[in-house]
Amino acid sequence: MTNHIEFIKETLKLAEKGRGLVSPNPMVGAVITRGSHILGRGWHKAFGLPHAEIEALKEAGKKAKGATLYVNLEPCCHYGKTPPCTEAIINAGIKEVICAMKDPNPLVNGKGFEELEKNGLKVRTGFLQEEAENLNSAYITYITKTRPYILLKWAQTLDGRIATYNGDSKWITSEETRNFVKKKRFEVDGIVVGINTILQDNPSLDYLPPSFQTQKELLCHKRYYKIILDPLLKTPVEGNWWKNVNSRVLLVVSDNIPEEKISAITGRENSEVIKLPCSGGRFSLKNLAEKLYKKEIGIIMVEGGSETLTCFWDEKMADEIMVFIGNKILGGKDSLLSITGKNRELFSEAVTVKDLEIQKMGDDFFIRGKPCFQELLKRQER
C-alpha cells in the first residue's frame, strides 16, 4: 500500500531547501512516484527559477506518464515569472496529484486543482496540511495580509536588559550565538534597524550563508535588504553596512527631506530610498509594510534597537519573536529594555506568546514564539 504521508513528508523536506532563497514565493517540494518507487524529485530553488513540479518532471522524464505527483502546495495555474505548472503536469501525462494544501494566492486558490481535474487528473488534498501551513507561514502572511512576515529579534541579559544606559551592548551573547543569528538572517529578505543602531554600533548587518554546496551555488539569487529607519537622514556615507555590494541598503526617510540631501547619499549602486510621512519621529509601519510588499520583500527581521522594536510592538506588527538570552546580569535602573512604550496599568494587558520553542545554546538561551495580539484585543473588548 502506498504511504502518502511519507511522500508528502519528503516534499516538505525538499521544500525546506529553498528557505532564504525563494521568498516571497513559497517553499515547495515535489516527488513523482509509481507505486513505492520515486521517479523524480524537485524543489523551488530560488526566486525566479523553475518551480518544484517542473524540476521533478525534468528528473522523471518520460517515466512521469501515468505516475503520481506529490507536492506540498497546490500547483500554480497562471503565468508569472514562470509558466503555469498545471500545464506542464497535464502535458507530462501525470495521472494523479496528491497535495498538502491549497494555495491562498487569489490567482490560484483552488483553480489549479480545478484545472487538473478538468483535464482528467485525480486530485487529493489535505495530507499533513498543518505541517505544510507552518512551513509556509511567512508566504501565507505575505499573500493574505499583503505585507511582509515580521520577525522581531533581540538579545538580552538574564535580567532583561539589551544595553547599558548609554547604549553599550557588546557582547550580550557568545560568538557562537551571534553566528547563529547571522545564519538566521539568511532566511529573511531584509533586516530592519533604526538610525540609532547605525550610529552607535556601525553594524555590517550581513548574513552567513549556509554551508552546504547546493545553496552555495545559488547565492547569486539571494535577495537581501538592509533597511534603515532614518527619518532625518543621518546615515553616514561610510559605514560597515555599505560594504557588501551584494545586498541593498534601503533608507526609509521622512517625505520632507530635500532631494539634494538624498542625492548626496544615494550615489552608491546598492542604495535605495523610500520616503514616508513621519510624525513625532515615527513612521506609520503599515505604510512601510505596504512599500516593502510592493518591492516583493516577503520576510523581514527587526533587530532594533529598543525604539524600533517598541514601534513595531505598539502597532502589533509582529508575527514572531526570537529572543537570545545571554548568561549575564547587568542591572541598572536606566539600562535599556527591548520593549518599552507606555506604562501598563493592568497585567491583563500583557501579551502571551504561543508555539514557544526554547533551546540552550552553550551558555545562552534561544526563545522563539508567536505573539497573541488577537487574544489581547479580545480581552480588552470584554
Side-chain angles (χ1 to χ4, degrees):
M1 181 177 176
T2 304
N3 192 333
H4 301 313
I5 296 297
E6 288 305 311
F7 285 134
I8 290 292
K9 283 182 179 179
E10 179 67 12
T11 70
L12 295 171
K13 183 178 176 182
L14 289 166
E16 180 70 38
K17 293 185 176 186
R19 187 177 294 277
L21 288 167
V22 303
S23 178
N25 286 344
M27 291 177 279
V28 183
V31 174
I32 295 172
T33 70
R34 181 171 282 106
S36 60
H37 182 59
I38 294 179
L39 307 173
R41 293 178 174 89
W43 68 94
H44 186 29
K45 294 179 179 177
F47 183 71
L49 294 186
H51 289 183
E53 299 93 322
I54 306 304
E55 295 282 4
L57 288 170
K58 182 180 177 181
E59 184 174 295
K62 293 181 180 179
K63 295 178 183 177
K65 187 171 183 179
T68 298
L69 168 69
Y70 291 85
V71 64
N72 61 295
L73 185 72
E74 177 182 5
C76 66
C77 55
H78 63 96
Y79 282 88
K81 288 183 170 57
T82 59
C85 290
T86 51
E87 184 179 295
I89 293 167
I90 293 164
N91 291 339
I94 292 288
K95 70 170 184 179
E96 182 178 22
V97 173
I98 297 176
C99 184
M101 63 173 284
K102 185 162 65 172
D103 189 339
N105 188 333
L107 295 173
V108 188
N109 198 24
K111 299 183 185 73
F113 294 147
E114 290 174 8
E115 181 71 16
L116 295 172
E117 289 178 326
K118 188 173 70 175
N119 283 274
L121 280 76
K122 184 177 180 180
V123 175
R124 288 193 273 177
T125 66
F127 293 86
L128 298 182
Q129 180 173 329
E130 184 177 351
E131 289 86 342
E133 290 173 349
N134 288 338
L135 175 71
N136 275 311
S137 58
Y139 168 72
I140 293 170
T141 296
Y142 179 79
I143 289 296
T144 60
K145 297 185 178 181
T146 60
R147 65 162 174 81
Y149 186 86
I150 300 171
L151 172 60
L152 305 190
K153 169 265 165 185
W154 67 86
Q156 66 181 47
T157 59
L158 287 170
D159 56 336
R161 271 60 174 182
I162 66 168
T164 62
Y165 75 95
N166 62 352
D168 183 32
S169 61
K170 293 184 178 178
W171 294 105
I172 292 175
T173 55
S174 68
E175 184 177 2
E176 175 189 354
T177 298
R178 297 196 299 275
N179 284 337
F180 177 83
V181 170
K182 290 178 181 177
K183 291 175 182 176
K184 284 294 175 186
R185 285 177 180 171
F186 178 81
E187 299 179 4
V188 304
D189 303 329
I191 297 296
V192 179
V193 297
I195 183 58
N196 291 336
T197 296
I198 291 293
L199 298 177
Q200 179 81 28
D201 298 340
N202 189 24
S204 70
L205 304 176
D206 287 326
Y207 60 79
L208 279 177
S211 57
F212 45 96
Q213 186 62 31
T214 52
Q215 286 202 338
K216 273 190 174 181
E217 296 168 353
L218 295 167
L219 282 180
C220 61
H221 295 279
K222 173 64 183 168
R223 303 164 66 249
Y224 188 73
Y225 287 83
K226 300 170 183 180
I227 303 163
I228 302 171
L229 305 184
D230 185 7
L232 301 179
L233 192 49
K234 295 181 180 179
T235 300
V237 293
E238 298 294 335
N240 289 335
W241 59 91
W242 291 113
K243 292 181 179 178
N244 185 350
V245 296
N246 294 319
S247 61
R248 308 287 298 173
V249 176
L250 182 57
L251 300 172
V252 184
V253 304
S254 172
D255 59 0
N256 60 14
I257 297 295
E259 286 298 327
E260 57 268 22
K261 188 174 182 180
I262 292 174
S263 62
I265 202 169
T266 55
R268 294 173 177 269
E269 63 179 60
N270 64 330
S271 69
E272 296 181 36
V273 170
I274 288 177
K275 297 177 75 171
L276 287 177
C278 185
S279 176
R282 283 192 174 192
F283 299 107
S284 163
L285 296 181
K286 290 183 179 178
N287 287 347
L288 173 63
E290 181 182 342
K291 294 285 188 181
L292 298 182
Y293 172 81
K294 289 179 178 178
K295 294 182 75 65
E296 297 184 305
I297 295 174
I299 313 171
I300 58 173
M301 181 187 290
V302 182
E303 291 207 5
S306 177
E307 187 175 337
T308 301
L309 288 165
T310 300
C311 287
F312 277 86
W313 190 263
D314 283 350
E315 290 198 34
K316 298 178 176 55
M317 297 283 281
D319 300 295
E320 192 173 338
I321 62 168
M322 284 187 359
V323 184
F324 296 87
I325 303 175
N327 185 19
K328 297 178 179 71
I329 293 176
L330 181 60
K333 65 184 179 68
D334 294 325
S335 296
L336 303 183
L337 302 171
S338 56
I339 308 293
T340 55
K342 69 177 184 179
N343 291 318
R344 309 296 178 186
E345 294 183 357
L346 302 171
F347 201 78
S348 59
E349 295 181 85
V351 178
T352 56
V353 180
K354 67 177 181 179
D355 299 337
L356 272 180
E357 299 175 24
I358 302 175
Q359 179 181 343
K360 195 170 187 298
M361 305 180 67
D363 288 335
D364 300 330
F365 288 91
F366 168 42
I367 299 176
R368 187 171 191 163
K370 298 178 180 180
C372 300
F373 292 117
Q374 291 302 317
E375 287 184 9
L376 173 62
L377 291 172
K378 288 178 183 177
R379 290 200 302 268
Q380 291 173 339
E381 290 171 357
R382 293 193 190 111

